[in-house]
Amino acid sequence: MAQGAGRTIAQVVAVAALAAAVTVFLSVAAVRHGFFDLNVYYGALTFWVHDGGEIYDFLKAGTQYGFTYPPFAALVMLPMAYLPWNAAIVMSVTATVLVSAVVIWWLLDPVARRSGWTRWFTLAVALCLAAAYEPMRETVNFGQVNMLLLFLVAVDLLWLLPARNRWAGVGIGLATAIKLTPGIFIVYLLVTGRWRAAATAVGTAAVATLVAAGLFPDASREFWTEALWNTDRVGELAFVSNQSLRGVVARLDPQHPSTIAWLLLVLVTLVIWGWRCRRAVAAGDEATGLALTGAVMCLVSPVTWVHHLVWLLPGLILLVDNGMAARGRRRRVLLAAALVGYALLCSRIVWSWEKDFTGVDGFLGSNTYVWISLALLLGLPIRRWATPVRPDGPAGSVVEPGGVAQLAEQDRGASAGQRHRIGGLLAVR
């Protein structure tokens, strides 16, 4: 009992120390954006609801930035128009923190169980580290919706698809109706042969879009015919924050970026992604499918601001997961890769070339986060899990997020040797 209490006290002290260190780091490294994007949403909704204007006609004063999401997103965000500004900030931050904690827990809890880590301690450490992660802190400071979309997609890929639930695809459909880029996950479902889930996702997105069109016909017409095609509203493609393949090409020649070169890069990237995703799903590794598709979405999207790179979080967590499941040199390599990738994505390193991204150092340094996305796409291990157990399947195992079949509770008291042999069945392939 005393030993257990001492361990708990040590863990509490460790978490408190880590939280204090992260707070100091954020006070130095975090850029205060004043909830800029949330201010755009709030201003557009206020202009629309209270001032009688059209939501897509609104531009934040002194900028070219306006509301760029589909009308269904406006419907989802509509309650903000009836809240004070400070309440809207609280709502945004609270929602982001809650869904981030849930998604991180879904991905880390199986790792904690297999590794024998204290589960609350694992989550607390992970949340502290997530707070220091530049895309996460940018998401919070801008008031962005990235983690909410990742949550919706993760519900489908980590829970509903592995369980063959008939509602699988609804989360992806809603995320696509809110913001178009998660539509890549519909392509993921098609590429991997989950036709029913893909149809559900398409149907959900279509119904949500039609509901918004029925409620807001003028706004819908303006979005689909004008606002969607106005690229000036999203910012400069060559800006260093654009960590996509399009950004790489644009920084090579900001005045005349090659569309052909970009399309060729996108095509090759999608072919590799499709091949790897099919392998992941064939192995029962849905979580890696989520991570690979998040990475490819960041790569092929014309604009991937740094805050969009929260979609790389599943890949970094799975690197740790695979590292813990491996042995010897492979374990060291995978854990080192996770540490280096995480450290770089906390460092703001790309901003060193914000003003001048010419030369070899500019090409390599200004695109650092793109290289990390590519590394995850190409190198994230695919693990061959035991076949997920259904409710009518054999006794003695349960389904965990991503379709991972784990030992049932009564079997977790196996000896270290037994656990080692079990771990061999779950080894990285």
Side-chain angles (χ1 to χ4, degrees), residues 165-168 193-201:
N165 189 290
R166 64 177 179 173
W167 296 103
R194 270 74 67 81
W195 311 110
R196 177 171 178 170
T200 300

Side-chain angles (χ1 to χ4, degrees), residues 341-358:
Y342 168 78
L344 288 172
L345 282 162
C346 289
S347 67
R348 286 184 55 83
I349 188 172
V350 298
W351 299 97
S352 300
W353 290 272
E354 180 181 4
K355 303 299 183 183
D356 182 8
F357 37 74
T358 58

Side-chain angles (χ1 to χ4, degrees), residues 113-114 389 394-398 405-420 422-423:
R113 290 193 194 188
R114 290 194 299 275
V389 176
S397 58
V398 293
Q406 298 294 331
L407 291 179
E409 206 62 48
Q410 64 267 28
D411 293 326
R412 289 196 176 115
S415 67
Q418 289 173 314
R419 287 196 300 270
H420 177 75
I422 292 167

Side-chain angles (χ1 to χ4, degrees), residues 26 29-39 92-93 96 131 134-144 307:
L26 292 177
V31 177
R32 305 297 190 271
H33 297 294
F35 301 97
F36 182 93
D37 290 356
L38 184 66
N39 203 336
S92 172
V93 173
T96 296
E134 184 181 358
M136 182 68 76
R137 64 186 194 242
E138 293 279 282
T139 287
V140 173
N141 285 331
F142 273 115
Q144 264 285 341
H307 56 76

Side-chain angles (χ1 to χ4, degrees), residues 157-405:
L157 268 58
L158 299 183
W159 289 103
L160 299 183
L161 267 178
R164 296 182 184 174
N165 189 290
R166 64 177 179 173
W167 296 103
V170 169
I172 292 172
L174 289 174
T176 303
I178 292 171
K179 187 175 182 178
L180 298 180
T181 48
I184 187 70
F185 285 93
I186 298 177
V187 183
Y188 166 76
L189 295 175
L190 294 171
V191 166
T192 54
R194 270 74 67 81
W195 311 110
R196 177 171 178 170
T200 300
V202 171
T204 301
V207 168
T209 300
L210 289 173
V211 167
L215 293 173
F216 318 122
D218 292 339
S220 296
R221 181 170 51 255
E222 184 170 358
F223 175 78
W224 294 108
T225 61
E226 295 182 29
L228 175 61
W229 314 104
N230 184 0
T231 56
D232 292 336
R233 297 165 66 91
V234 298
E236 175 59 45
L237 291 175
F239 184 40
V240 75
S241 182
N242 184 13
Q243 291 292 304
S244 69
L245 293 173
R246 184 64 159 160
V248 173
V249 173
R251 282 186 285 277
L252 288 174
D253 185 359
Q255 300 303 317
H256 305 95
S258 173
T259 300
I260 293 177
W262 171 59
L263 290 175
L264 288 174
L265 287 172
V266 166
L267 179 61
V268 172
T269 301
L270 288 174
V271 169
I272 295 171
W273 163 75
W275 169 65
R276 299 216 72 213
C277 283
R278 288 179 63 85
R279 286 189 59 213
V281 170
D285 194 355
E286 205 74 65
T288 295
L290 166 64
L292 293 174
T293 307
V296 86
M297 182 175 70
C298 294
L299 289 167
V300 304
S301 174
V303 175
T304 297
W305 302 135
V306 168
H307 56 76
H308 294 145
L309 297 175
V310 294
W311 290 93
L312 300 185
L313 264 179
L316 293 175
I317 292 174
L318 289 176
L319 273 181
V320 174
D321 189 354
N322 283 285
M324 295 303 299
R327 289 179 292 171
R329 182 175 179 273
R330 184 175 181 84
R331 168 179 280 205
R332 292 191 296 272
V333 168
L334 290 173
L335 294 179
L339 177 61
V340 170
Y342 168 78
L344 288 172
L345 282 162
C346 289
S347 67
R348 286 184 55 83
I349 188 172
V350 298
W351 299 97
S352 300
W353 290 272
E354 180 181 4
K355 303 299 183 183
D356 182 8
F357 37 74
T358 58
V360 175
D361 67 312
F363 175 73
L364 296 175
S366 69
N367 299 309
T368 298
Y369 300 165
V370 179
W371 311 142
I372 295 173
S373 297
L374 282 170
L376 288 171
L377 176 64
L378 296 171
L380 186 63
I382 293 171
R383 185 179 298 179
R384 186 168 297 281
W385 298 105
T387 303
V389 176
R390 308 299 168 202
D392 56 348
S397 58
V398 293
V399 175
E400 298 224 358
V404 181

Side-chain angles (χ1 to χ4, degrees), residues 13-93:
V13 171
V15 169
L18 179 60
V22 169
T23 300
V24 172
F25 173 75
L26 292 177
S27 69
V28 175
V31 177
R32 305 297 190 271
H33 297 294
F35 301 97
F36 182 93
D37 290 356
L38 184 66
N39 203 336
V40 172
Y41 310 152
Y42 187 82
L45 289 165
T46 301
F47 178 70
W48 187 36
V49 172
H50 300 295
D51 298 337
E54 283 296 338
I55 191 168
Y56 296 107
D57 292 340
F58 173 85
L59 293 178
K60 182 174 170 59
T63 76
Q64 78 273 32
Y65 296 108
F67 195 85
T68 57
Y69 296 163
F72 182 70
L75 177 61
V76 173
M77 297 181 188
L78 194 58
M80 272 203 307
Y82 301 95
L83 293 176
W85 168 238
N86 288 334
I89 292 175
V90 170
M91 183 178 74
S92 172
V93 173

